Amino acid sequence: MYFEDEEICSEEEEKQLYYQESLLNHFELQPNPADRFTLVVIDQNFTMPSELVLLDLSGSELNRFKTNGFNPLIISCNGFSAGLYLCRLFYIDGSFETLKLNIVR
């Protein structure tokens, strides 16, 4: 990585920074734990998301939501029992990230 023809980090350091960045989640659930709803807030500085899938812990799909990535997505917790669920956000490049959602009553 260079800044005005001056190397600020080596290629190996740049790869390490990219790896560390890729380990970060680029969305969050607010609130979490949730009782009535949760907001899916997406980092707009990352790859454009296409959809979010709500899964139970066995991996069964419970719901699917389309998202434009610009507006927070509201997920209602009504109809779901208390417990842990998975929110998997898929990006247009085929990658995805997963966060746990804790629904409480």
Side-chain angles (χ1 to χ4, degrees):
M1 182 178 293
Y2 292 90
F3 180 73
E4 296 182 14
D5 295 330
E6 186 177 320
E7 186 176 8
I8 57 175
C9 68
S10 70
E11 188 175 328
E12 188 59 38
E13 290 170 322
E14 188 173 351
K15 286 179 187 177
Q16 183 65 25
L17 288 172
Y18 178 79
Y19 176 74
Q20 289 171 352
E21 167 75 10
S22 69
L23 294 177
L24 299 175
N25 284 314
H26 295 94
F27 75 107
E28 60 184 318
L29 305 172
Q30 300 174 353
N32 191 15
D35 59 352
R36 295 179 307 148
F37 68 90
T38 190
L39 236 57
V40 180
V41 181
I42 301 166
D43 179 357
Q44 296 178 7
N45 296 320
F46 196 63
T47 304
M48 182 64 70
S50 61
E51 63 185 356
L52 181 121
V53 177
L54 184 63
L55 308 161
D56 63 19
L57 289 181
S58 72
S60 296
E61 184 177 318
L62 303 174
N63 211 336
R64 186 175 288 261
F65 307 89
K66 293 286 184 192
T67 178
N68 62 14
F70 296 108
N71 301 314
L73 181 64
I74 300 171
I75 297 176
S76 172
C77 297
N78 294 334
F80 296 108
S81 301
L84 289 176
Y85 296 85
L86 301 175
C87 290
R88 183 163 289 159
L89 186 64
F90 288 90
Y91 296 96
I92 58 174
D93 66 359
S95 64
F96 64 88
E97 294 180 278
T98 305
L99 290 178
K100 290 182 204 170
L101 170 62
N102 186 10
I103 296 179
V104 295
R105 298 286 176 218

